[in-house]
Every structure is written in structure tokens, then in C-alpha cells.
Amino acid sequence: MSTTNPTFFDTNFVSENQQILLPILEEKKVALFIKREDLIHPIVSGNKFRKLKYNLQEAKKLKKKAVLTFGGAYSNHIAATAVAGKLVGLKTFGIIRGDELGKNLPQTIAENATLKVAQDHGMKFHFISRELYRQKSSFGFIEKMKNKWGDFYLIPEGGTNCLAVDGCQEILTPQDAAFDYVCASVGTGGTLAGLIKSLKKKQKVIGFPALKGNFLSEEIKKYTIKNNNWSLKKDYHFGGYAKYNKELIIFINKFKADTGIQLDPVYTGKMIFGILDLIEKDTFKEGAKILAIHTGGLQGIAGINNLLKQKEEPLINVL
Ligand SMILES: *Cc1c(COP(=O)(O)O)cnc(C)c1O
């Protein structure tokens, strides 16, 4: 396990664009590349690196000793914040949804790879009910946490704020101006907002929400008022956040066998499934060049595989 690397967030990572070769792409004369942001770090990968970068630099600048953030029990953001905090020398506090998980912590940790990674990197947890979780951003609750733990730098759920959007504007490079479309998975929309803001003329962003609902457009517009170079494709959430079916799992395994690229079932698997489905349905003109951002999230596979195992269903193949 990684320990400390105070300059980790000073690094300007430029991820490789890997061309995908599949018969459907040849048939439809569409070029698809995947930007391998997943390779930045095994846990602080993809957009989580981008979203944490300026937030952790800000926390340091403000001389904070700790950061506090929120998430579900399988949250990529929770795992990334814990590992990143350890790397740069900040304590981390995680407010986790689900008070039942706190009743027997050793058992919870034994069964949950995400929380184990977070705990192994020093994160302290506070488990709260789903009801209380809805009020987690209230002044009263934050004050209570300050009384419990002392001062901290607050990072919102999913890590999205203005500094996170700034970080996500560094995903695309000048060379990426050659693409017609940039695609990414959408959770809170922070990553998409950064991509939208860094787009060149004539390029378009397509977002693939990993969850149900119509609130995401509003969230994205908060950061991108002036832009209309983007759209959301809302048919690929597979039932909602962290929901999946056999078709998705089989797709992820087949894509891995065909291309060597591992996708996750919560975000990137749904996006690539959606892109290939849209290509199949002739949504893109001949000659179109598409860049899909691999936002990482591979740490979450262990948790889903645990659930699949309990249901005696086919697992996601990992190396
Ligand atoms: C968190 C996450 C997302 C969603 O990013 P937002 O900025 O919240 O929209 C997408 N993909 C992966 C792998 C993630 O971990």
C-alpha cells in the first residue's frame, strides 16, 4: 500500500488515449478512443484525483490538519479521499450512510473492501442513518462533527464543488481538440462540468448518468451557465445508482476480453455500453471521432462481486 507522497497532487498527469478496435466500430466507420484516467492511481484514480487535487491544496493552504467528507459504503470518493489524505499528510473523516454498518465495525470492514481500504489509510468513520444523512450538510450537523473531531476542511458528497470542477478541466489536453465528442459517466455532474468548460469550439460532451432522475442537468448548469455544447443520454442507468443486471456484467467481461480494458459496473461500464449502443443505432455520423473518459472506479468491483457471489450470479472478471 502507498504511504506518503506529499507532491502527488502537484503532478500534471496526462493520460494516454487508447484506440478501441471492435468490428462494430469498423462497420459504422466511427473511431472510439478511451482516455485511461484509471491508470493515474489504483484508488485515487480517474476523476477522483482531478476532483481532490485543488481541494487538498486548498486545505493545506488554509493550514487544515484534516478533511471531512461523505459517502455510501462502496463510494469511490470515500476510498480516494482516505488514500489521498494519507499521501499528502491530512487526517480524514468519513461520514458514511447507513448506521447499521457501525454496529459491528470489524465485521463491516471484513465484508467491505472500500471501507477496509479507507480504514487502512487512517480514515475515521461516523455512521449515520439514511434519514440523518439527508441533513448531513446542515449547519447543525457540521457543528456537531467539529465538536467531535476538531477543525476540518469540508469536501461535499461525491467531491463536487468549484475547485473540483477546476481540476476536471485538466482532463482534456490540446491534442484532444481532434475529437468530435467527449463522453463521460455522470454521478454528481462535477466531472462533466469540467469537461464542458474545457471544450474547444465544435466539440460536444455527452454525459451518461449512472443514476435515475432529472436533477443532474440543473447541477451541471450551476457550473456551466454559458455553455450549451452538451447533452445527457439518460437511458443507460440500468435501474439506478449501483444497480446492474446480468447483461451489464456480461458486457463488462466481454469488453475486457476484447480490449483488455477493465470497466466498473457503477459508472464506466454503463457509459461504454451506452456509447456502443448509440453507435449501433447510427447516432453518430460516419467518420465521427469519440473520446470516452475512463474515470476509474475499479476499486468498487470487489464490493459488487461480493454481492454477486451471494446471489450465485456470474462475477466480474478481474486480473
Ligand atoms: C465518482 C465517479 C463518477 C462520477 O463523477 P461526478 O463528477 O460525480 O459526476 C464517474 N465515474 C467514476 C468511476 C467515479 O468514481
Side-chain angles (χ1 to χ4, degrees):
M1 281 278 153
S2 46
T3 47
T4 66
N5 178 2
T7 62
F8 182 62
F9 283 95
D10 302 337
T11 320
N12 254 337
F13 283 103
V14 175
S15 303
E16 175 207 349
N17 295 336
Q18 182 176 341
Q19 183 162 21
I20 304 307
L21 301 169
L22 292 171
I24 177 76
L25 298 171
E26 214 169 302
E27 182 195 323
K28 302 285 184 184
K29 301 197 168 52
V30 168
L32 174 63
F33 287 71
I34 296 187
K35 188 179 279 294
R36 299 298 307 275
E37 292 270 292
D38 55 313
L39 301 177
I40 289 177
H41 184 280
I43 308 285
V44 197
S45 73
N47 60 352
K48 299 304 182 277
F49 172 86
R50 304 289 177 186
K51 294 169 85 170
L52 284 167
K53 176 176 174 179
Y54 290 114
N55 275 295
L56 295 187
Q57 288 180 357
E58 180 71 8
K60 286 271 188 181
K61 209 157 76 189
L62 295 172
K63 303 256 187 291
K64 303 281 185 183
K65 299 270 186 300
V67 299
L68 176 138
T69 196
F70 315 89
Y74 298 100
S75 163
N76 294 330
H77 170 64
I78 286 290
T81 303
V83 175
K86 174 110 189 207
L87 279 166
V88 301
L90 286 161
K91 283 189 212 163
T92 54
F93 304 126
I95 310 298
I96 311 295
R97 184 176 58 230
D99 49 349
E100 74 283 357
L101 296 167
K103 295 205 171 107
N104 185 345
L105 189 56
Q107 190 189 340
T108 295
I109 297 293
E111 290 171 355
N112 185 308
T114 300
L115 295 180
K116 181 168 189 327
V117 165
Q119 191 182 56
D120 286 349
H121 289 81
M123 183 176 265
K124 299 258 189 308
F125 302 123
H126 182 65
F127 297 89
I128 58 176
S129 67
R130 282 154 183 80
E131 217 179 309
L132 191 54
Y133 194 81
R134 269 177 242 123
Q135 307 155 33
K136 64 186 179 298
S137 308
S138 71
F139 180 76
F141 182 75
I142 300 301
E143 280 306 293
K144 238 170 86 181
M145 291 303 104
K146 289 204 164 151
N147 289 334
K148 181 180 168 80
W149 276 320
D151 192 34
F152 48 72
Y153 179 86
L154 185 81
I155 301 180
E157 182 179 34
T160 291
N161 56 15
C162 287
L163 291 177
V165 173
D166 288 349
C168 290
Q169 293 194 57
E170 297 178 352
I171 295 173
L172 296 177
T173 68
Q175 285 74 31
D176 296 331
F179 289 96
D180 305 303
Y181 299 93
V182 176
C183 298
S185 177
V186 179
T188 62
T191 304
L192 212 72
L195 291 170
I196 290 165
K197 290 181 82 170
S198 63
L199 221 54
K200 297 284 179 267
K201 268 194 198 130
K202 293 191 187 156
Q203 289 186 296
K204 289 205 162 27
V205 163
I206 305 174
F208 293 81
L211 60 165
K212 267 198 259 189
N214 285 319
F215 55 94
L216 278 172
S217 303
E218 293 313 309
E219 189 62 27
I220 295 166
K221 279 180 201 157
K222 271 196 344 208
Y223 298 102
T224 62
I225 346 161
K226 281 180 272 171
N227 310 72
N228 55 7
N229 49 358
W230 59 280
S231 61
L232 298 180
K233 297 288 181 195
K234 298 183 181 172
D235 296 332
Y236 301 103
H237 57 65
F238 285 80
Y241 183 69
K243 299 277 198 313
Y244 51 86
N245 61 18
K246 240 183 221 166
E247 188 186 14
L248 180 64
I249 304 300
I250 290 167
F251 169 76
I252 288 171
N253 287 340
K254 175 140 194 345
F255 191 80
K256 169 87 171 281
D258 290 344
T259 68
I261 298 179
Q262 180 77 63
L263 302 173
D264 82 293
V266 181
Y267 294 106
T268 54
K270 294 178 180 181
M271 168 191 65
I272 297 290
F273 184 101
I275 292 172
L276 291 175
D277 190 56
L278 292 173
I279 290 171
E280 181 92 49
K281 290 174 174 156
D282 296 315
T283 313
F284 300 99
K285 282 200 300 249
E286 261 189 39
K289 289 187 77 180
I290 304 168
L291 179 65
I293 312 299
H294 195 318
T295 40
L298 303 179
Q299 72 83 30
I301 293 174
I304 301 272
N305 266 347
N306 233 347
L307 300 173
L308 287 167
K309 208 184 287 171
Q310 284 163 25
K311 292 193 263 183
E312 298 185 9
E313 285 180 22
L315 304 188
I316 300 163
N317 293 333
V318 285
L319 287 176

